Each structure stands twice: as structure tokens, then as C-alpha cells.
Amino acid sequence: NKSSQRVAVIVDGAPRHNWAISSGLAGGPPSGTYRPERLERKWYSRKYDWSPMPHAIFFHHGYAIHGTNSISRLGRRASHGCVRLHPQHAAILFDLVQSRPRSGTRIVISDFGVMARR
């Protein structure tokens, strides 16, 4: 949810987590429903000066949900466009997504409602 800068993780129809995020300063990522395309436990952004993107879940044209070292900025827009999470939360989400079929995982990006849903 880009408006509230929160991610709601729902597993098998039941709410499991609700965490602060930082989404893009320019409004990204684009709203829509996606599936995970690629998971990378350790990744560095070539586009943004090799910035670390731990526990990255890529979902649309290079956009990802990933951990951040900028914990103090969680809860407000701060990124180039990805969805940033506390590193511990990113690890939990990464393991959850990795443990289940990707075809059953939906990532919903919006300005209202829930963002990540299983």
C-alpha cells in the first residue's frame, strides 16, 4: 500500500504480517498485480551504484521487494522505485515466498488495500 507505506502479508487467507515499507519517491512501483519473477538472496543494483538489495523478490521490469539499510526512512517514500523493508522482514518474506509455489503468490501494488498477498 503506497499510501500508508505498509505491506500486509496474507497467507492462505489469514493476515500474517504488517510492516512499514518505503516505496518510490516518484510513485513507483506501478500499481498492479504481479507474480514473483526471480528471487535473489544477495543482490546489488547495477543501476544505482551497487546498492545492496538483500532478499530481493523481483516482480516487474526490475522492481523488487527487498531489505534496506535505511531503516530510519521506512514508513515514507524514499526509494528509486523498489519496495524496501526492514532487513529482518525482507528475510522472512523471502523465505515464505521461496517455500511456496510462485504461481500461488500474488504481489498487489496499490494506493489502497493490501500489497502482498499469498
Side-chain angles (χ1 to χ4, degrees):
N1 183 324
K2 295 184 288 186
S3 291
S4 67
Q5 292 294 291
R6 304 288 299 179
V7 60
V9 180
I10 299 171
V11 180
D12 298 328
R16 176 139 342 151
H17 304 288
N18 191 301
W19 298 314
I21 64 161
S22 289
S23 63
L25 289 167
S31 294
T33 300
Y34 308 98
R35 300 256 184 233
E37 295 174 354
R38 187 174 94 241
L39 280 71
E40 300 286 350
R41 192 169 295 279
K42 292 183 181 182
W43 192 256
Y44 296 87
S45 171
R46 287 171 241 165
K47 187 174 182 178
Y48 297 108
D49 300 320
W50 298 100
S51 297
M53 298 171 63
H55 297 101
I57 303 166
F58 289 91
F59 60 88
H60 176 71
H61 298 295
Y63 287 103
I65 301 169
H66 63 80
T68 183
N69 293 328
S70 299
I71 296 168
S72 65
R73 300 179 87 184
L74 293 172
R76 60 182 187 226
R77 294 178 189 264
S79 76
H80 289 104
C82 286
V83 176
R84 297 179 182 174
L85 284 170
H86 187 285
Q88 292 173 341
H89 299 159
I92 291 167
L93 183 61
F94 184 93
D95 289 343
L96 179 62
V97 170
Q98 190 173 49
S99 72
R100 301 173 71 108
R102 288 189 199 163
S103 63
T105 299
R106 289 189 312 156
I107 299 168
V108 180
I109 305 292
S110 70
D111 287 315
F112 55 89
V114 293
M115 192 195 84
R117 185 177 199 141
R118 289 213 36 90

